Amino acid sequence: MNAIVPNDPNRVIVFDTTLRDGEQAPGFSLGVKDKLMLAHTLKDLGVDVIEAGFAASSPGDEEAIRTIAREVVGPTFCSLSRALESDIDAAARALLPAKRKRCHIFLATSPIHRAAKLKKTREQVVEIAHKAVSYASTIFDEVEFSPEDAIRTEQDFLHEVCIAAAEAGARTLNIPDTVGYTTPKEIYQIFSDLKAALKDHPQVILSAHNHDDLGLGVANTLAALEAGARQIEVTINGIGERAGNAALEEVVMALRTRPELFKLHTGINTPLLSKASHLLSRATGTIVMRNKAVVGRNAFAHESGIHQHGMLTDARTYEIMRPEDVGAEKSNLVLGKHSGRHAIAKQAAALGFDLDELSLGDLFAAFKRRADEIGEIDEFELMSLLTRDNADKDDARLFKVSSEVTKDFVTITLDLFRDNGEPLKVTATGLNAFEAGFRALVDAYQIEARVNDCEIIQSGFTFDGGAFAEISLQIKGEAYRGRGRGPDPVWAGLRAMCDAFEKYVFLHDRKTHASNLNSEKQHETAR
């Protein structure tokens, strides 16, 4: 059980709202099965409170919360509620199976919300808040109250409504920056003043819920913690309304990486952060940006030659966290057009090639040409450059594409190079150019394959135009990813297909060679 230690003033409670605030945002909708899977992940991650949904919003959300509360054991489970008895009753029904349950009541308090949405006076808002919290306290052991749009609420009124909620039984007071409006300096002062105003309610925990409209969600959350907040309301990958919420992984790793500054800690099992991020990405069908802090693909990747040289000497030169701390496999020295000779020589040595200066110079020139064409150079691509006689020639595998379009079909003819440099012509027909080209390449390579996914970017904004393609082929149960650049999407796509096929051929030949060597050794031993 994720026990919260009340006697530890430096323990931060992690309240995750991925399944509520995150899921209600456009593009992030989740089914019950995915919500349940993610709830198990959040429990394993060590989240203290899981806001599983908004029970009164729909029968489906109520049922999803009930399923999660029944199937997942450990954290406190929470449902959002308006300041209405019917909402609170719906939350109680949904959370009935949970051992530890919380009702999270929200009520707008800022002048613009009171006038435009509630059409209530300050006195009426205080009365509604007190009544709702009092009612929830007769049903729930844990009640949390949020004055919606708290940051734009008059400070004296914010104090008044929070004190009323505390007197009615709220043990957590959440101060949400609903519209992502505040700054670190301002929110620090707001929390400091509120903490002083609640001096007669020392048992109350202050909570921070920050949106990222100005890109300050994480910074504002950390500032609130410095001012005395001891609960953070966050989401995996920072998903949520509009620009999203403060990202769980970023706040948690800031506290972990700078303990001497914050002197605070959580119960999060940080090596599971990358897993949680990837599971959410798959469930929502939303790709995590490469440069996303902590869990992005580039978080522990280095392409610059200067950076790679430093990393090869001591990883601490350019990494303030270890990849294993967040569950990333390893630091990745990405080979690309910015890489230097030192990193390329190091990777070539790791592949078994001890190059002299002349050979390294030739490789470096071929490497730069290929990197300009496709961007990232992975192990298979580097091995191809190290072993192919024609690797220094542009478009070594595919040198001509011609097509014929009829009413129903497209016929593609490809002129290719064989491994020995001899030309090879193949023709195939399909419903479109990609299907026809793919069939032609399957015929050329004599390898059965299917396309897993394909991404093509028309780079018309660059000075030379053209297109870039990245494709994944499924061959004998394994995925092989290829990249290609060309004057148009069809050329780039076919170039990427060639690249993927070549990587399969290389790996297959290497496995076959290793198997033959092993057989020879066994035969020698038997003799």
Side-chain angles (χ1 to χ4, degrees):
M1 181 176 291
N2 301 317
I4 301 171
V5 185
N7 294 326
D8 185 352
N10 298 323
R11 171 70 154 85
V12 176
I13 300 165
V14 177
F15 177 114
D16 184 273
T17 185
T18 301
L19 303 183
R20 199 278 300 170
D21 199 337
E23 190 263 348
Q24 74 185 30
F28 295 113
S29 183
L30 296 165
V32 176
K33 184 177 179 181
D34 285 330
K35 274 196 165 189
L36 182 59
M37 178 270 292
L38 289 167
H40 278 291
T41 301
L42 293 172
K43 178 247 183 177
D44 294 340
L45 188 59
V47 165
D48 301 296
V49 184
I50 297 176
E51 190 167 48
F54 186 174
S57 65
S58 72
D61 218 34
E62 180 177 331
E63 183 55 36
I65 296 170
R66 184 179 297 108
T67 300
I68 292 168
R70 182 176 59 248
E71 299 292 333
V72 183
V73 179
T76 293
F77 286 97
C78 176
S79 173
L80 187 69
S81 300
R82 291 167 295 184
L84 300 171
E85 289 189 4
S86 58
D87 276 29
I88 296 167
D89 290 340
R93 290 193 304 270
L95 292 169
L96 190 61
K99 184 175 181 180
R100 297 165 59 183
K101 39 186 162 286
R102 177 184 297 190
C103 184
H104 181 191
I105 299 169
F106 74 97
L107 179 64
T109 56
S110 68
I112 189 170
H113 278 246
R114 294 198 309 265
K117 191 169 73 172
L118 294 183
K119 301 186 182 343
K120 302 289 184 183
T121 65
R122 284 172 48 152
E123 292 75 16
Q124 288 173 316
V125 169
V126 171
E127 182 181 354
I128 294 169
H130 189 280
K131 182 180 178 181
V133 173
S134 295
Y135 179 71
S137 297
T138 65
I139 303 173
F140 290 88
D141 293 330
E142 297 182 31
V143 179
E144 176 174 334
F145 177 73
S146 288
E148 186 184 6
D149 202 18
I151 302 302
R152 295 192 293 175
T153 299
E154 307 96 316
Q155 288 299 286
D156 64 325
F157 182 53
L158 179 63
H159 296 175
E160 181 182 356
V161 74
C162 284
I163 290 171
E167 290 175 346
R171 290 297 170 262
T172 300
L173 292 175
N174 179 50
I175 310 304
D177 184 12
T178 307
V179 293
Y181 180 71
T182 194
T183 65
K185 182 178 180 180
E186 182 181 49
I187 201 170
Y188 178 90
Q189 195 61 52
I190 289 171
F191 271 82
S192 296
D193 291 345
L194 180 58
K195 185 177 181 181
L198 290 164
K199 63 182 183 301
D200 294 333
H201 301 278
Q203 78 284 4
V204 168
I205 295 172
L206 292 182
S207 174
H209 178 120
N210 289 293
H211 281 266
D212 208 35
D213 296 73
L214 295 177
L216 296 172
V218 170
N220 289 334
T221 299
L222 294 171
L225 287 172
E226 289 187 291
R230 286 299 177 266
Q231 177 176 285
I232 54 173
E233 303 202 356
V234 289
T235 61
I236 300 296
N237 292 343
I239 69 170
E241 290 281 11
R242 302 179 312 281
N245 291 55
L248 180 152
E249 60 276 2
E250 295 178 27
V251 179
V252 167
M253 289 310 295
L255 298 179
R256 190 181 191 277
T257 305
R258 300 300 306 276
E260 80 293 345
L261 179 63
F262 294 106
K263 299 180 175 62
L264 298 171
H265 60 275
T266 71
I268 295 298
N269 184 13
T270 63
L272 293 181
L273 287 172
S274 289
K275 175 185 176 182
S277 171
H278 296 152
L279 287 176
L280 178 64
S281 176
R282 288 212 305 269
T284 60
T286 305
I287 297 173
V288 177
M289 292 187 302
R290 289 182 69 117
N291 64 327
K292 168 73 174 65
V294 181
V295 293
R297 184 176 171 185
N298 283 2
F300 298 95
H302 310 268
E303 182 178 331
S304 164
I306 295 172
H307 285 223
Q308 289 181 342
H309 191 210
M311 284 293 297
L312 291 169
T313 304
D314 188 332
R316 292 173 297 177
T317 54
Y318 288 103
E319 287 185 352
I320 60 171
M321 299 173 281
R322 300 180 306 168
E324 56 266 33
D325 290 340
V326 300
E329 184 177 349
K330 61 180 180 179
S331 297
N332 183 17
L333 299 186
V334 176
L335 296 182
K337 66 179 183 179
H338 300 109
S339 296
R341 292 166 66 99
H342 184 75
I344 295 169
K346 188 85 172 179
Q347 189 61 34
L351 294 173
F353 291 82
D354 185 15
L355 304 176
D356 56 31
E357 279 300 312
L358 180 60
S359 298
L360 179 58
D362 291 342
L363 172 65
F364 191 62
F367 173 91
K368 287 291 187 178
R369 281 193 294 272
R370 186 65 173 143
D372 279 337
E373 180 188 357
I374 68 170
E376 183 178 331
I377 302 292
D378 61 17
E379 176 184 340
F380 296 112
E381 195 68 47
L382 183 61
M383 182 64 83
S384 177
L385 293 172
L386 286 162
T387 58
R388 290 178 62 88
D389 292 335
N390 58 1
D392 62 336
K393 297 182 176 65
D394 292 335
D395 294 321
R397 304 173 191 122
L398 175 66
F399 64 92
K400 187 177 179 182
V401 179
S402 56
S403 63
E404 178 183 345
V405 182
T406 63
K407 181 180 178 181
D408 299 316
F409 298 101
V410 176
T411 300
I412 287 280
T413 299
L414 304 179
D415 288 298
L416 307 163
F417 283 117
R418 297 179 188 272
D419 281 343
N420 60 9
E422 294 180 0
L424 170 67
K425 185 185 294 288
V426 288
T427 300
T429 300
L431 295 176
N432 53 58
F434 285 103
E435 180 178 309
F438 175 67
R439 289 179 175 176
L441 288 173
V442 167
D443 182 34
Y445 282 95
Q446 292 293 294
I447 297 170
E448 288 299 320
R450 66 178 176 84
V451 178
N452 284 336
D453 60 73
C454 180
E455 181 180 5
I456 298 179
I457 300 171
Q458 182 75 46
S459 51
F461 292 105
T462 64
F463 69 93
D464 58 351
F468 173 79
E470 186 167 349
I471 192 168
S472 174
L473 297 184
Q474 191 79 7
I475 304 174
K476 295 186 177 180
E478 295 186 355
Y480 297 85
R481 188 164 294 277
R483 300 179 183 88
R485 191 178 299 277
D488 57 63
V490 173
W491 181 285
L494 296 177
R495 191 77 172 82
M497 289 182 196
C498 284
D499 195 37
F501 276 118
E502 287 291 330
K503 287 173 182 176
Y504 167 77
V505 170
F506 160 69
L507 186 61
H508 180 264
D509 288 347
R510 189 165 68 168
K511 286 181 177 178
T512 301
H513 179 64
S515 178
N516 290 340
L517 286 178
N518 189 48
S519 297
E520 290 177 7
K521 289 180 181 178
Q522 290 178 348
H523 182 67
E524 287 293 327
T525 301
R527 291 173 59 186

